[in-house]
Amino acid sequence: MALYKEQSLKIYNSINGEKEIFTPLTEGNIGMYVCGPTVYSNVHLGNCRTFISFDLVFRYLKHLGYKVRYVRNITDAGHLENDAETGEDRIAKKARIEQIEPMEVVQRYTVDFHNILQKFNNLPPSIEPTATGHIVEQIETIKTIIEKGFAYEVNGSVYFDVIKFNKDHQYGKLSGRALEDMVANTRELNAQSDKRNPQDFALWKKAEPQHIMRWPSPWSDGFPGWHLECTVMSTKYLGEEFDIHGGGMDLKFPHHECEIAQGEAATGKTPVNYWMHANMLTLNGQKMAKSTGNNILPTEIFTGDNQHLSKAYSPSAARFFMLQAHYRSILDFSDEALKASEKGFNRLMDAFRNIDNLAVSESSTLELESWRQRCYDAMNDDFNSPILIATLFDAVKFVNGIKEGEEKITSEDKSLLKDTMQAFLFDVLGLQDTVIVNEDSREKLSGAVELLINLRAQARSNKDFSTSDQIRDQLASLGIQLKDGKEGTTFSLD
C-alpha cells in the first residue's frame, strides 16, 4: 500500500493563509509547477534555496508513493529589467554587453544552473520547458483571452484588462491586495500611456527596432509577456487545473497574481489548488545585493573563495544548513551558522555510519516505531524539515546510548533505525554522505598522483632530473609530498 494512504499531509496554502489537508485532483497523481530561473546570469543563492525547498517537496511526495509530474520552466525571453513592462530584455542586455548571441547567454547560464543544482543533489524536474519553445501556444492563449473580452491590442502590443476582469473575478486574491487600493496608489506614467489602466499588464509586446529577440504574431513582431509564459507552460503540461504551484515569495505579486488572472480569463477555471511560496535568504543579516558586495555565489561556498567565509563548505553541508530552516521562514546565511550546521551534519552522518556496527540484543529499550512516525509527522506538517532534522538527531542519542551499553536494540529494530535514517537523510532531505564522496575523490586523486610518480620515475631513468624535480616540487606546492624509498615512491597529503 502506498505510504500516502497512511499519512495525512497538510500544506500551507498562500491563497488563504491556512494549512489545508492535501488532496490531489487525481488520487495518487500530483501535478506541480515551479517558476524556474531567468537565465541571464549565474544562479543566485537565494534562488537555490527556493529550488532546494521544492526539491524537498518533490522528494517527499515521491517518497509517499505519489506519481509526481514536476514542471519547472526556463525563462529565456520576455523578462524585462526590474520585472517592468518597459525596458530591455535581461538576456538581450547581457548579450549586447558581452557581444554574443542571446541564445549563447541562455545556454551558458542554463548549464550553470543545472551544474549548481546537481551539486546540491537536486533531482531534475519531470519536464523543463522553455519560454521560446512555446511561442505558438502563447499566441493562441492571447487570442483566447482577447476573444473572451479580457485583453485589448494597442499599437501592436496586447494588454490584459485588469479592471474588466475584476468585475466578475478577484484580482489580488493571492497577494491580499484590493484593486481599488492599487488604482488609488498608482500614478500614471508616460511609458504606460498605451494602457487603459496602469494595472493592466502586457501579454504581448511589440519589439522596438533595436530589440533582438522577436517573433511574428497577429499583432506585431514582438515577444510574449513574462507572466503569460508560466500560464501557458504550466497548463500545457499539467492541465487547466493542477495541484501545486510554487516559487519564491517575491513572485507572489505581480507574477503569480497575473498567472491566476490569465488562467481564469482563458479557461474560466481557477488553475491552482495549492500555492506555495519559499522565503528569502539574507547574508549576515542584510539583503543580498551585488551592488553592495553583500552577495555570494554557490560556487564560492564550495571553494571558500569569498570575503564572507572562513573556509569551504561541501554542497551537502550547505544544503543541510538551508533545510534546518522552514521553507516559509527567512534564513540568514553566515559563516558561523554554516560552521555550526556542518558540525551537526557530520554528527548525523557519523551516527548513520555507526548503525551497522551496533551490537544487537534479544530485547529493545527504544520506541522506534513512534520515533519513525514523528519523522513523518514533521514532514506532514507543511514539510517541516527543521522538526524532522531535530527528530533525526534523536537517532544520534540512540546510537550513542547503544554503543555505551545504556540502551539495547534488537536486530529488527536495528533494521528499522537504519531504513528510517536512510529514507529521511538521503531520499527525503537529499543529503549526501561527504565521507563516501571524499573517498571516491581520494581514489581518483591517488590514480592521478601515481601517474605522475611513474612519469617522474621515467624522467629519472632518462637522467631528466629537471622534469623529475619539477614534478616533485609542483606536487609539494599542492600539499602532496613524495617520499622515495627502497620499495619505490609513495606520497602523503599535508
Side-chain angles (χ1 to χ4, degrees):
M1 185 170 74
L3 275 170
Y4 65 77
K5 294 186 177 178
E6 302 170 10
Q7 306 294 333
S8 179
L9 171 64
K10 285 188 173 181
I11 294 179
Y12 180 90
N13 197 344
S14 296
I15 206 152
N16 57 23
E18 293 178 5
K19 289 180 189 174
E20 298 179 356
I21 292 174
F22 177 66
T23 308
L25 289 163
T26 306
E27 187 183 340
N29 293 271
I30 294 172
M32 179 169 82
Y33 185 87
V34 173
C35 291
T38 301
V39 281
Y40 70 100
S41 64
N42 296 108
V43 63
H44 190 280
L45 190 61
N47 286 349
C48 289
R49 187 202 178 188
T50 296
F51 299 127
I52 288 169
S53 296
F54 287 102
D55 184 61
L56 175 75
V57 172
F58 183 36
R59 284 172 173 277
Y60 187 59
L61 294 175
K62 282 165 66 76
H63 174 75
L64 290 179
Y66 286 109
K67 184 179 179 183
V68 187
R69 179 178 286 176
Y70 174 19
V71 182
R72 187 187 65 214
N73 73 298
I74 295 285
T75 296
D76 56 356
H79 193 173
L80 305 186
E81 291 180 273
N82 305 314
D83 301 343
E85 288 282 317
T86 59
E88 203 168 359
D89 184 291
R90 291 179 172 188
I91 291 162
K93 181 180 180 182
K94 188 80 167 187
R96 178 175 56 77
I97 292 168
E98 298 196 9
Q99 295 185 310
I100 57 176
E101 280 290 323
M103 284 301 141
E104 286 183 75
V105 174
V106 166
Q107 180 69 11
R108 178 187 301 170
Y109 294 114
T110 300
V111 168
D112 169 72
F113 173 66
H114 289 151
N115 286 343
I116 293 297
L117 289 197
Q118 194 172 25
K119 282 187 170 70
F120 278 122
N121 202 31
N122 275 26
L123 298 174
S126 318
I127 303 172
E128 193 173 52
T130 64
T132 57
H134 296 75
I135 299 293
V136 172
E137 292 91 337
Q138 291 173 73
I139 289 170
E140 291 305 311
T141 299
I142 294 170
K143 287 179 185 174
T144 301
I145 295 173
I146 291 172
E147 285 166 14
K148 298 281 182 74
F150 295 114
Y152 57 92
E153 183 262 334
V154 181
N155 297 328
S157 293
V158 181
Y159 296 97
F160 190 93
D161 192 332
V162 170
I163 288 179
K164 188 167 184 185
F165 172 80
N166 203 55
K167 287 177 181 174
D168 298 312
H169 301 78
Q170 189 186 347
Y171 181 77
K173 60 185 172 185
L174 178 64
S175 56
R177 302 176 185 219
L179 183 59
E180 297 77 21
D181 295 338
M182 287 187 248
V183 171
N185 292 330
T186 304
R187 293 176 181 172
E188 184 66 63
L189 302 176
N190 291 334
Q192 296 173 329
S193 57
D194 279 353
K195 299 182 189 180
R196 291 177 184 169
N197 308 288
Q199 282 68 39
D200 295 351
F201 55 89
L203 300 177
W204 186 266
K205 288 287 287 182
K206 180 181 179 180
E208 298 296 326
Q210 70 274 16
H211 200 98
I212 311 169
M213 304 175 82
R214 57 174 68 218
W215 292 265
S217 80
W219 313 286
S220 64
D221 274 11
F223 54 94
W226 172 41
H227 312 309
L228 182 72
E229 296 169 353
C230 284
T231 290
V232 168
M233 289 184 279
S234 61
T235 55
K236 175 170 181 174
Y237 297 108
L238 299 175
E240 293 175 349
E241 297 173 285
F242 56 95
D243 299 297
I244 298 170
H245 193 315
M249 200 78 81
D250 56 321
L251 298 181
K252 192 182 282 190
F253 185 89
H255 187 54
H256 291 161
E257 201 71 74
C258 294
E259 279 191 60
I260 293 172
Q262 291 164 160
E264 291 184 357
T267 68
K269 298 172 183 173
T270 299
V272 179
N273 277 4
Y274 301 87
W275 282 94
M276 296 179 67
H277 290 93
N279 216 323
M280 65 186 286
L281 195 64
T282 57
L283 179 60
N284 297 321
Q286 302 293 321
K287 185 178 178 181
M288 285 197 194
K290 287 181 187 174
S291 56
T292 61
N294 197 54
N295 187 54
I296 186 168
L297 290 172
T299 49
E300 294 171 340
I301 299 169
F302 312 149
T303 62
D305 184 19
N306 186 275
Q307 61 178 339
H308 301 290
L309 300 179
S310 61
K311 63 189 281 293
Y313 295 91
S314 71
S316 242
R319 180 186 176 100
F320 181 69
F321 165 74
M322 293 198 209
L323 293 174
Q324 280 189 294
H326 191 266
Y327 76 90
R328 285 192 288 112
S329 65
I330 293 173
L331 173 61
D332 188 51
F333 197 91
S334 70
D335 192 44
E336 294 74 23
L338 265 172
K339 272 183 191 166
S341 189
E342 184 182 53
K343 284 180 184 173
F345 170 74
N346 289 334
R347 282 177 60 213
L348 272 177
M349 291 299 152
D350 286 343
F352 176 75
R353 287 192 295 269
N354 281 324
I355 293 173
D356 283 339
N357 302 322
L358 296 176
V360 295
S361 306
E362 290 184 6
S363 61
S364 184
T365 57
L366 301 168
E367 291 288 334
L368 290 181
E369 284 286 358
S370 61
W371 167 76
R372 177 178 178 270
Q373 186 54 47
R374 289 204 310 277
C375 292
Y376 280 102
D377 291 344
M379 287 302 290
N380 291 339
D381 182 18
D382 191 34
F383 309 98
N384 201 324
S385 56
I387 299 296
L388 169 63
I389 288 168
T391 308
L392 290 174
F393 269 112
D394 288 342
V396 179
K397 296 175 193 168
F398 300 157
V399 170
N400 291 338
I402 296 160
K403 282 168 69 179
E404 291 162 14
E406 296 168 3
E407 303 283 2
K408 293 180 180 178
I409 194 167
T410 62
S411 178
E412 190 178 324
D413 273 0
K414 181 174 163 178
S415 295
L416 178 64
L417 178 62
K418 184 171 183 182
D419 289 349
T420 305
M421 288 286 279
Q422 173 90 39
F424 283 100
L425 284 175
F426 306 117
D427 298 346
V428 174
L429 291 174
L431 302 172
Q432 290 178 299
D433 191 335
T434 47
V435 167
I436 293 169
V437 173
N438 289 342
E439 281 173 1
D440 182 48
S441 300
R442 201 169 285 122
E443 202 173 301
K444 290 175 183 172
L445 174 65
S446 297
V449 175
E450 289 296 340
L451 174 64
L452 289 167
I453 287 172
N454 292 337
L455 289 172
R456 180 171 173 262
Q458 198 176 332
R460 291 174 81 181
S461 69
N462 294 335
K463 298 193 179 342
D464 182 1
F465 297 112
S466 69
T467 299
S468 165
D469 291 347
Q470 187 181 9
I471 291 171
R472 181 198 62 207
D473 294 344
Q474 289 200 358
L475 285 173
S477 72
L478 295 170
I480 301 167
Q481 301 296 329
L482 298 186
K483 294 175 186 174
D484 296 317
K486 291 177 184 176
E487 303 293 317
T489 303
T490 59
F491 76 93
S492 63
L493 301 177
D494 278 358

